[in-house]
Amino acid sequence: MPVSSSGSSASHTEKWIFISYRREDTKYPAGQLNDLLGQRFGRDRVFYDLTTGPGVRYVEAIDDALRTTKVLLALIGERWIDITDEHGHRRLDDPRDLVAHEIATALDRGLLVIPVLVDGARLPGRDELPERLRPLVSRNATRLAHESFSADADKLIGAIVAHAPEADWWPVPPPVEPTSSPGEGASARRRGMSVGLYLGLGSTIIALVLAVLIAVLSWPTGEEPDPPKADPPKAASPVVDHVWQAACGRRYLDQPVAQADPAALATAPKDDDAVLAEDVWLDISVRNTAPTELLLDDIQIEEVVRDSAPQTGFLVRPASGGCAQGTARFELNADLDSDPPTLSPPETAGDSADRIALPFPIGRTNPETFRLRFSSRGCECRFRVVLRWRQGGVETEPVALPADGKRFHVVPRGDLPAYRLEQTGGTALLQPE
């Protein structure tokens, strides 16, 4: 779990649901999940690291939350098993690691621990985990994918409630009250209408009042359940188009050259095809269709899967009509060798950050265009580019490129042999460069 120095004061409200995650791996889905769980169960009932207050001792805050936790959600991304510290040691093996401490404590206490596999992540094998975390592999896992987030989150919430459907620690979702007079009477009863008004209505109404009183008395001690919350802000409606300019770059194939089909290489690579870094770039076009001004808050490279193993196979430059450079209003250099990757404007070499904070207003007339140029000397990387927004001062739904659970995929050149795809007499041939 990442350490944060921001947030409100720590609350003494009992925590029922604990979100365990690593910021380097699953920050984006963890934040979305926290919002959904807070809407369903009450924000004070969910432990999420960014809600802890300044000056709070994190190990104490974690242990305090785990004393009342009923369910721990262990978010596992594609890098979760392999993330290392600044010395290259795997963090799960560190006895001081907070994520391992959270999960191990929950397992020791017999809590419901649900492994949540984010996108393409897998549940690790027993031999891949330290001894204290090995019981995790015997727990049924659920999946949380970018392209089906809402449906997956609903399924997860259903599993949490099903764990103890009649437990006194679940708040009852507020009913939808009709606008007719019977609904107004029900609303009045919920506000504590005097029992005396019903004495002349017979035993049926008295029984109803008693049922309401029993329901009120059965609420957990301490604070009453949170009142119904307003609907979350609707997502902004930017139109975001992107072009992965790999048609004129080199594509990477992990196979012997003799097995390649030159005709199949004549088409442009798709978003998630492996291509050569420094030979490709990403063009992003953003247009606002919302009635109010939309601010592009920041651009960040997220969910990187790294593999620094020596490359085998070969590179091929696909046939194309040339590399149309196009134009972009803003250009950014993306260094994939940094962990996490960094972005920097071309004119400020050496001044880089893991995200570009703007904000930048997006109008309703002409689209704004951004270009990201990638470099990598030793990292085969898979990643998304995430754009975050604000509208009317409220954060709205981020946009991840590419969508549909895919990743951009780049490889370094290294010593790989390169070939050019040529058309000779109607036949596609691979010729060494």
Side-chain angles (χ1 to χ4, degrees), residues 26-107:
T26 51
K27 176 177 68 174
Y28 168 56
Q32 277 193 304
L33 192 57
N34 174 62
D35 291 340
L36 289 177
L37 294 175
Q39 294 165 20
R40 171 59 179 86
F41 301 108
R43 297 188 183 279
D44 288 343
R45 302 298 185 182
V46 181
F47 184 87
Y48 175 63
D49 70 312
L50 294 184
T51 60
T52 54
V56 173
R57 295 174 62 89
Y58 283 93
V59 175
E60 294 178 4
I62 289 168
D63 289 342
D64 185 58
L66 286 172
R67 289 188 185 96
T68 59
T69 290
K70 314 298 181 181
V71 180
L72 182 138
L73 306 177
L75 270 61
I76 298 175
E78 295 174 354
R79 301 178 57 209
W80 185 85
I81 190 69
D82 296 319
I83 290 177
T84 60
D85 60 21
E86 64 273 17
H87 304 296
H89 302 139
R90 195 174 70 152
R91 290 172 63 174
L92 284 178
D93 296 322
D94 186 345
R96 300 166 299 177
D97 181 62
L98 293 181
V99 169
H101 174 73
E102 293 162 0
I103 298 173
T105 301
L107 292 169

Side-chain angles (χ1 to χ4, degrees), residues 178-230:
T179 56
S180 61
S181 57
E184 292 170 357
S187 178
R189 287 194 295 273
R190 285 180 57 83
R191 292 193 299 270
M193 181 182 291
S194 171
V195 175
L197 294 178
Y198 297 96
L199 292 178
L201 300 181
S203 59
T204 301
I205 301 300
I206 293 174
L208 177 60
V209 173
L210 290 175
V212 173
L213 290 175
I214 291 172
V216 172
L217 292 175
S218 67
W219 284 344
T221 59
E223 297 182 348
E224 293 183 354
D226 291 336
K229 291 186 168 56

Side-chain angles (χ1 to χ4, degrees), residues 236-397:
S237 53
V239 175
V240 181
D241 297 313
H242 75 279
V243 178
W244 182 236
Q245 298 279 12
C248 59
R250 290 186 177 87
R251 190 187 314 201
Y252 163 68
L253 286 85
D254 187 12
Q255 60 183 230
V257 178
Q259 295 180 10
D261 179 7
L265 300 177
T267 58
K270 299 181 177 63
D271 284 344
D272 52 355
D273 284 346
V275 294
L276 181 67
E278 299 179 338
D279 232 17
V280 296
W281 59 90
L282 175 66
D283 279 353
I284 304 171
S285 175
V286 182
R287 180 166 54 90
N288 179 21
T289 61
T292 57
E293 184 179 66
L294 183 67
L295 293 177
L296 175 58
D297 240 6
D298 68 62
I299 302 175
Q300 186 175 14
I301 298 176
E302 280 195 351
E303 300 189 24
V304 173
V305 179
R306 295 179 172 274
D307 187 354
S308 57
Q311 299 291 335
T312 59
F314 68 103
L315 300 167
V316 57
R317 185 187 298 278
S320 69
C323 296
Q325 294 290 318
T327 59
R329 181 170 179 181
F330 301 100
E331 287 199 7
L332 301 170
N333 293 327
D335 182 3
L336 298 175
D337 289 310
S338 299
D339 188 6
T342 58
L343 293 168
S344 61
E347 65 274 11
T348 57
D351 182 13
S352 59
D354 63 353
R355 68 172 188 167
I356 292 294
L358 300 164
F360 189 87
I362 306 296
R364 295 195 46 145
T365 53
N366 298 318
E368 298 295 344
T369 54
F370 301 85
R371 172 168 296 165
L372 276 61
R373 294 185 177 274
F374 300 93
S375 64
S376 172
R377 293 166 297 280
C379 174
E380 178 185 355
C381 292
R382 293 174 174 85
F383 58 91
R384 288 188 184 132
V385 175
V386 178
L387 297 86
R388 293 181 175 82
W389 317 84
R390 274 184 296 129
Q391 189 177 32
V394 178
E395 291 185 4
T396 57
E397 191 72 15

